[in-house]
Amino acid sequence: STTAAAALAFIRPPASAELLGWAAGNPDARTRLEAAWAAAKLGMEAGVETLRGFCLQPIWSRRASDYLK
């Protein structure tokens, strides 16, 4: 779920690592977006790169760019 993925930002690695990996591979784009935000918030470059990719998709660009601020 998207809420669970976003909550991962408040669980420190390594406890969050496996769950972030699961969320990043989820078929739901909202869940992947929230997982990317959580990873970026935890200082993971992969999350930042994923958010940059979401910025290129018109439907997600506004939220993704907000998350990158």
Side-chain angles (χ1 to χ4, degrees):
S1 95
T2 58
T3 304
L8 294 174
F10 305 100
I11 301 173
R12 295 179 187 239
S16 61
E18 184 177 347
L19 294 172
L20 279 168
W22 171 83
N26 193 285
D28 180 66
R30 285 185 208 142
T31 300
R32 292 192 312 274
L33 177 67
E34 297 301 325
W37 170 79
K41 185 149 177 75
L42 289 168
M44 299 175 178
E45 186 61 29
V48 173
E49 290 301 317
T50 301
L51 287 173
R52 287 183 183 147
F54 272 104
C55 286
L56 300 175
Q57 301 174 40
I59 193 169
W60 303 113
S61 63
R62 183 174 180 158
R63 182 172 286 186
S65 64
D66 286 346
Y67 284 169
L68 285 169
K69 292 179 183 174

